Amino acid sequence: MFERPQKGERAVLVHLDLFAELNREDLREFRELVISAGAESVATITGSRSSPHPRYFIGTGKAEEVRACVEREQADVVLFNHALSPVQERNLEQLFKCRVLDRTGLILDIFAQRARTHEGKLQVELAQLQHLSTRLVRGWTHLERQKGGIGLRGPGETQLETDRRLLGDRIRTLNKRLQKVRRQREQGRRARKRAELPTVSLVGYTNAGKSTLFNALTEADVMAANQLFATLDPTLRRLDLAGGQSVVLADTVGFIRHLPHDLVEAFRSTLQETRDADLLLHIVDAASEERSEQMEQVNQVLEEIGAMDRPQLLVYNKIDQLNNVAPRIERDGEGRPLRVWISALKDEGLELLREAIVETLDRGRVIQHLQLSAAEGRLRAQLYERGQILQESVDEQGNWLLKVELPGSEWQILDKQENLSGHIIGLEQNPRLAVMGEAP
């Protein structure tokens, strides 16, 4: 699935302006995707429709225009800046006599080129096969039916059925391998929790400068380039902060508008680092004219993977491309950091960012004394899994007396599920805590 041609491919780009706002795509971003894929754009055909054509997506007249362009430019592939149905893709390939790839297939191709680690390759192949499994409609028209005749009668499979079975077998194999990788990642996360190291995850729109910032903070050598999806595989590094505090900094894959669902599913284990992080650094390209829309797209993906409840600190990067913008921390009415303006490329404002990370992590942690009955062992286990047990003892009635430290977001989740607030006790209620020298 990962063999690439040695030379670039000549591509005709097709982009439609659809009236429906949800279906609109950005042409400039599409061109950047094509460059990232290594294709050579020989022509761009644009148009507008109120809704997609059921057979060709772009309508019969526009389809003929694309076909003529393919012949004239001797193109190898036609790339659509939209999601095509399997039937539309097949009809277009029959008309153009060349390969047709939609936006999802193009992004999957870029990911296949970027994958370096064993896990990354497994995840990309799984996403590709899941996407391909929907594209087998009459893929082998010459072998659609079993043949009759002497010696050929009886049970058998069509080529289409064979392809589906083989794809299904491979998908199940990949899922089993990824399950093993996920268990290994989960063990790593538990080890970091036992070591009392908070996790800070970098998230943001692709090409916002996450890897450049990651390298600047940790002196790592993660690939950083001015192209979409330059970084695919997640990287973890220890980051030492002021006051002797340390965190694990995680660099993850960038997001993009209409990120293919197959990719979100396949990369769920990688994105788990984001979902379980104590703090998200939402990196924003401050110089982009579409930064508000890009931030909205990132939040949509975070919502999809269940990470919107994580504390966020906005980091406006690339201020070196703006006029008269100095590094600074913007705070809310209570003095908490909201936004940090930096330039990772020029190493401007990084100390302010470190300061804001320390403040946010300190404010985002809850320390409480709890009393649990002997029957509430499940809740006690959840507290051990989600946070730190700073002190534990048992009173005369057999109740657990716990001093716990939890991230604020984890406290809110458990409080909503298990009513943690109802278990809070003070020293006056349990003098045993005072005897042990514990202060609330």
Side-chain angles (χ1 to χ4, degrees):
M1 299 296 293
F2 300 97
E3 293 182 2
R4 306 294 310 142
Q6 297 300 313
K7 61 178 182 178
E9 295 175 282
R10 297 174 61 82
V12 172
L13 314 187
V14 179
H15 171 84
L16 284 188
D17 284 324
L18 299 170
F19 293 160
E21 187 68 31
L22 291 177
N23 293 326
R24 288 186 177 176
E25 300 290 359
D26 184 77
L27 180 56
R28 182 177 57 185
E29 182 179 88
F30 179 47
R31 289 195 172 109
E32 291 178 1
L33 282 172
V34 173
I35 294 172
S36 296
E40 176 191 357
S41 173
V42 296
T44 301
I45 296 179
T46 61
S48 61
R49 287 183 63 90
S50 58
S51 61
H53 189 274
R55 181 174 176 82
Y56 292 127
F57 189 89
I58 53 177
T60 55
K62 187 64 68 173
E64 284 295 328
E65 180 183 345
V66 176
R67 185 191 62 79
C69 182
V70 169
E71 291 182 358
R72 183 175 64 252
E73 300 293 341
Q74 296 183 337
D76 304 305
V77 61
V78 177
L79 303 175
F80 276 73
N81 191 23
H82 309 276
L84 300 176
S85 71
V87 173
Q88 289 169 339
E89 190 173 301
R90 186 192 72 236
N91 292 337
L92 290 167
E93 285 187 344
Q94 290 176 344
L95 179 65
F96 300 157
K97 300 295 188 297
C98 71
R99 286 185 301 120
V100 173
L101 213 58
D102 66 357
R103 181 184 174 87
T104 299
L106 179 62
I107 294 175
L108 287 171
D109 185 87
I110 296 171
F111 271 52
Q113 298 180 55
R114 299 286 190 271
R116 294 292 180 268
T117 65
H118 175 65
E119 180 188 9
K121 292 179 179 180
L122 287 178
Q123 290 171 326
V124 172
E125 184 179 357
L126 177 60
Q128 286 180 315
L129 292 180
Q130 288 173 335
H131 181 66
L132 181 61
S133 64
T134 66
R135 310 275 146 169
L136 291 179
V137 181
R138 295 185 182 180
W140 299 82
T141 55
H142 61 293
L143 293 173
E144 256 187 323
R145 300 178 179 84
Q146 295 97 329
K147 296 181 180 179
I150 297 174
L152 297 176
R153 298 185 181 94
E157 291 181 310
T158 64
Q159 184 66 48
L160 184 59
E161 290 168 340
T162 302
D163 289 343
R164 283 176 174 161
R165 176 173 55 80
L166 293 175
L167 273 178
D169 292 343
R170 182 60 178 166
I171 288 173
R172 283 188 290 272
T173 299
L174 290 174
N175 275 320
K176 288 180 181 178
R177 292 183 181 179
L178 282 173
Q179 283 294 338
K180 182 178 180 180
V181 174
R182 287 165 187 160
R183 287 194 296 268
Q184 293 171 344
R185 279 194 171 274
E186 184 61 31
Q187 290 173 354
R189 278 189 286 270
R190 289 176 180 173
R192 291 197 297 272
K193 284 187 177 181
R194 288 195 296 270
E196 304 177 8
L197 286 178
T199 300
V200 177
S201 183
L202 302 180
V203 300
Y205 209 76
T206 182
N207 205 28
K210 297 184 301 302
S211 296
T212 302
L213 176 60
F214 185 86
N215 290 337
L217 289 173
T218 65
E219 298 182 357
D221 56 354
V222 173
M223 176 185 175
N226 186 25
Q227 59 182 164
L228 303 188
F229 300 120
T231 303
L232 175 60
D233 298 306
T235 308
L236 305 179
R237 291 289 188 276
R238 184 186 180 109
L239 175 63
D240 296 324
L241 301 171
Q245 186 174 358
S246 297
V247 299
V248 174
L249 193 64
D251 184 22
T252 58
V253 64
F255 301 152
I256 197 170
R257 73 181 74 205
H258 300 162
L259 190 66
H261 182 72
D262 290 336
L263 272 181
V264 175
E265 282 298 315
F267 279 75
R268 193 164 291 275
S269 64
T270 299
L271 296 174
Q272 185 80 13
E273 297 291 350
T274 297
R275 194 171 68 178
D276 291 345
D278 297 283
L279 174 65
L280 301 182
L281 296 185
H282 185 164
I283 314 302
V284 180
D285 183 353
S288 174
E289 298 176 355
E290 301 175 342
R291 70 186 188 193
S292 297
E293 183 181 348
Q294 291 175 354
M295 291 168 63
E296 182 181 347
Q297 295 292 333
V298 171
N299 287 329
Q300 286 181 8
V301 178
L302 292 176
E303 182 73 34
E304 188 172 353
I305 66 175
M308 271 303 290
D309 61 338
R310 302 288 93 183
Q312 270 195 41
L313 177 63
L314 289 174
V315 181
Y316 283 78
N317 190 25
K318 303 185 182 182
I319 62 171
D320 54 290
Q321 300 180 18
L322 301 175
N323 294 324
N324 301 321
V325 177
R328 66 184 187 275
I329 299 178
E330 293 184 5
R331 303 177 182 273
D332 62 11
E334 299 179 5
R336 292 176 296 193
L338 283 179
R339 288 175 288 272
V340 185
W341 296 75
I342 69 164
S343 170
L345 186 64
K346 302 293 185 181
D347 287 339
E348 297 176 358
L350 298 189
E351 286 303 319
L352 293 176
L353 177 58
R354 291 187 177 93
E355 176 187 333
I357 292 173
V358 171
E359 288 188 41
T360 306
L361 288 174
D362 288 344
R363 287 174 175 266
R365 302 192 73 81
V366 176
I367 299 178
Q368 287 289 357
H369 293 98
L370 305 177
Q371 178 176 300
L372 306 181
S373 69
E376 294 176 304
R378 183 177 63 84
L379 177 55
R380 175 175 170 268
Q382 286 184 285
L383 291 170
Y384 267 101
E385 182 179 351
R386 291 176 178 264
Q388 288 181 251
I389 304 300
L390 303 178
Q391 186 71 50
E392 180 180 46
S393 64
V394 180
D395 64 12
E396 291 78 3
Q397 289 76 38
N399 299 315
W400 281 300
L401 304 178
L402 305 175
K403 181 181 179 182
V404 301
E405 181 179 0
L406 289 170
S409 56
E410 298 289 357
W411 174 272
Q412 293 176 6
I413 293 172
L414 280 178
D415 190 29
K416 185 176 181 180
Q417 295 175 348
E418 308 287 349
N419 187 27
L420 279 187
S421 299
H423 295 280
I424 295 176
I425 55 174
L427 295 182
E428 68 280 357
Q429 295 171 274
N430 266 279
R432 181 179 177 84
L433 288 174
V435 171
M436 295 170 61
E438 295 298 322

